[in-house]
């Protein structure tokens, strides 16, 4: 019956600012709001009508919905909580030495290969290794579209910036000197900080979790990025939905986990079912781990803000389903045929063609007061699945 923003239950977490985000979308030209750099929270009171079995009205019930937002990169830190420094280093270096990562991490790998096994515990050396490793992770993300990149705070350190707590990096198993001991201590201190600042105060409060997956971006980036996305999802799901039935009974783990393929408006309507089906395949391992721990799961294809409309493109004389929107950087309207979205992980021929396109579109200009609502795709279905039982 009514919805209103109310004071949040915590005073130590920044507030999500809907007015500022709406102002960005209502500007001329409209612009996407700034990316999430830290925790933010918003509490919404929902007054729900209740009826008796005979159709009579009961007093309204108020439900408070606490929304918690945080940088997606930070999710990739959670699997590290189950690893010691040596195990994490071995796995991180094994990933760095294969595929596109090896080229992106060339300078970092040369640095650690040149280090003596008994390198001394020098802060300047630790910071140098950290910067090289951080830059390698950024190259993996920005150039190659890879997602399984740890620690996530190296990519998005938040308001605390590049603190000495972050000055560590993976080292080979043979490293036994003071530098290795320093990195191991900082790794442990970093995880302790993650537990106290992230896991304990927030994840123990979650009842519902949404994991956003850039499936289309992974398709565009290529086979390695696509497979890397699936691996990252499985690792995150093991922690996000972890816990036993007793923990769930006490409210210490999400009971519903939704996996959502974003930017569904970047493909025409006929391709969106294929996008959801493809996400089902990518998230198969992640969903299995979540469901094994007792959580219900679902997959969705969504666009939180729709910025295209369906159109028809002509390619080699053939009419094809396409999308039309305003290109972000050029400010002009364009009809784009992005390519076919497969319903399951693609065959090798798909990757060899490199035909899938992923343009960046400008958001629609919204009403400054928000009275006209926000055009979207699939958000109603996602929210109904997440919250329907509570309402």
């Amino acid at each position: 019956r009514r919805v209103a923003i109310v004071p949040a239950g915590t005073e130590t977490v920044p507030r999500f600012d809907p007015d500022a985000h709406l102002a960005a979308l209502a500007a001329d030209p409209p612009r996407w709001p700034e990316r999430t750099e830290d925790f933010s929270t918003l509490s919404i009171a929902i007054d729900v009508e209740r009826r008796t079995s005979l159709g009579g009205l009961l007093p309204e019930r108020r439900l408070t919905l606490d929304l918690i937002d945080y940088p997606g990169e930070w999710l990739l830190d959670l699997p590290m909580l189950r690893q010691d420094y040596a195990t994490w280093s071995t796995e991180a270096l094994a990933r760095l030495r294969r595929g596109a990562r090896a080229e992106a991490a060339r300078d970092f790998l040369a640095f650690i290969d040149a280090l003596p096994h008994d390198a001394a515990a020098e802060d300047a050396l630790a910071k140098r290794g950290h910067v090289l490793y951080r830059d390698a992770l950024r190259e993996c993300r920005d150039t190659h579209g890879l997602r399984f990149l740890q620690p996530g705070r190296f990519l998005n350190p938040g308001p605390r910036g590049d603190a000495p707590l972050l000055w560590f990096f993976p080292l080979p198993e043979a490293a036994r000197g003071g530098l290795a001991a320093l990195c191991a201590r900082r790794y442990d201190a970093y995880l302790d900080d993650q537990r106290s600042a992230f896991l304990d105060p927030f994840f123990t409060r979650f009842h519902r979790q949404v994991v956003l997956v850039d499936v289309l971006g992974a398709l565009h980036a290529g086979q390695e990025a696509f497979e890397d996305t699936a691996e990252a999802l499985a690792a995150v799901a093991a922690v996000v939905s972890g816990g036993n039935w007793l923990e769930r009974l006490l409210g210490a783990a999400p009971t519903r986990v939704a996996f959502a393929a974003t930017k569904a408006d970047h493909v025409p309507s006929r391709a969106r079912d294929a996008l959801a089906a493809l996400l089902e395949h990518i998230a198969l391992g992640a969903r299995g781990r979540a469901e094994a721990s007792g959580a219900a799961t679902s997959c969705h294809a969504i666009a939180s803000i729709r910025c295209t409309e369906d159109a028809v493109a002509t390619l080699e004389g053939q009419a094809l389903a396409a999308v039309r929107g305003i290109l972000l950087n050029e400010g002009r309207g364009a009809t784009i045929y992005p390519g076919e979205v497969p319903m399951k992980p693609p065959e090798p021929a798909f990757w060899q063609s490199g035909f899938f396109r992923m343009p960046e579109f400008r958001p629609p200009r919204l009403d400054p007061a928000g009275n006209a609502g926000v055009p979207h795709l699939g958000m109603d279905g996602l929210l109904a699945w997440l919250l329907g039982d509570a309402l």
Side-chain angles (χ1 to χ4, degrees):
R1 303 295 295 176
R2 285 173 297 279
V3 178
I5 295 174
V6 295
T10 175
E11 302 302 327
T12 59
V13 181
R15 297 289 187 268
F16 183 86
D17 190 347
D19 293 334
H21 290 305
L22 182 60
L25 293 163
D28 187 14
R31 63 183 186 276
W32 291 108
E34 295 297 321
R35 63 179 295 161
T36 301
E37 298 288 350
D38 193 10
F39 287 109
S40 63
T41 186
L42 189 70
S43 292
I44 300 173
I46 306 172
D47 293 329
V48 183
E49 181 182 275
R50 295 191 300 165
R51 292 180 177 271
T52 67
S53 58
L54 298 177
L57 288 176
L58 294 172
E60 291 179 353
R61 181 170 63 92
R62 168 160 287 197
L63 180 79
T64 301
L65 177 64
D66 291 324
L67 301 171
I68 302 174
D69 186 30
Y70 53 89
E73 293 94 339
W74 294 1
L75 270 180
L76 268 299
D77 286 1
L78 298 181
M80 296 169 61
L81 296 169
R82 299 182 175 182
Q83 295 177 309
D84 60 19
Y85 173 71
T87 303
W88 172 74
S89 287
T90 298
E91 293 186 4
L93 289 177
R95 284 193 294 269
L96 276 186
R97 293 188 186 277
R98 64 176 185 258
R101 281 179 169 83
E103 177 60 27
R106 179 179 53 189
D107 292 344
F108 170 72
L109 292 174
F111 169 79
I112 62 170
D113 288 344
L115 282 174
H117 295 329
D118 59 349
E122 298 177 4
D123 241 1
L125 203 57
K127 185 175 183 180
R128 173 64 176 160
H130 161 72
V131 170
L132 288 172
Y133 180 65
R134 179 201 65 197
D135 291 348
L137 294 183
R138 287 177 176 172
E139 179 76 6
C140 288
R141 179 192 65 184
D142 298 340
T143 301
H144 302 289
L146 300 174
R147 293 292 179 264
F148 201 167
L149 306 170
Q150 297 173 322
R153 277 190 182 267
F154 283 21
L155 295 167
N156 190 338
R160 289 184 289 180
D162 194 17
L165 179 71
L166 306 182
W167 294 354
F168 67 89
F169 50 91
L171 279 169
E173 186 178 357
R176 291 286 186 271
L179 180 63
L182 176 62
C183 285
R185 286 198 305 273
R186 283 184 173 158
Y187 176 88
D188 291 340
Y190 176 78
L191 294 189
D192 287 342
D193 183 70
Q194 286 293 78
R195 287 189 185 93
S196 61
F198 188 17
L199 190 64
D200 292 341
F202 294 105
F203 267 74
T204 54
R205 295 178 55 204
F206 287 165
H207 295 112
R208 315 293 157 98
Q209 171 79 21
V210 183
V211 180
L212 303 180
V213 189
D214 186 5
V215 178
L216 296 177
L219 272 182
H220 175 69
Q223 184 174 4
E224 188 174 351
F226 185 83
E227 294 172 352
D228 193 64
T229 297
E231 185 180 358
L233 264 184
V236 166
V239 181
V240 167
S241 58
N244 54 38
W245 284 102
L246 177 59
E247 289 174 329
R248 294 188 177 284
L249 186 63
L250 297 174
T255 56
R256 296 195 177 200
V257 180
F259 298 92
T262 59
K263 303 177 184 176
D265 59 331
H266 284 48
V267 295
S269 56
R270 58 178 291 182
R272 288 168 202 149
D273 287 342
L275 177 60
L278 182 58
L279 176 61
E280 293 260 5
H281 281 278
I282 295 178
L284 188 61
R287 294 185 71 185
R289 294 188 182 191
E291 290 169 0
S293 66
T297 68
S298 68
C299 289
H300 306 259
I302 66 167
S304 56
I305 300 177
R306 182 174 184 172
C307 52
T308 70
E309 57 186 21
D310 281 6
V312 176
T314 302
L315 183 66
E316 297 179 352
Q318 183 179 2
L320 299 169
V323 293
R324 181 168 181 81
I326 298 176
L327 296 177
L328 181 64
N329 294 325
E330 300 175 35
R332 63 176 179 85
T335 298
I336 302 291
Y337 170 63
E340 293 299 314
V341 178
M343 298 188 71
K344 60 182 180 179
E347 301 294 331
F350 178 91
W351 304 115
Q352 293 166 7
S353 68
F355 193 57
F356 191 83
R357 299 174 63 189
M358 190 64 181
E360 290 185 294
F361 290 109
R362 177 188 291 177
R365 190 179 184 192
L366 301 186
D367 171 14
N371 294 327
V374 180
H376 68 88
L377 285 174
M379 288 295 289
D380 48 355
L382 173 62
L383 288 169
W385 185 84
L386 283 170
L387 307 174
D389 64 320
L391 297 174

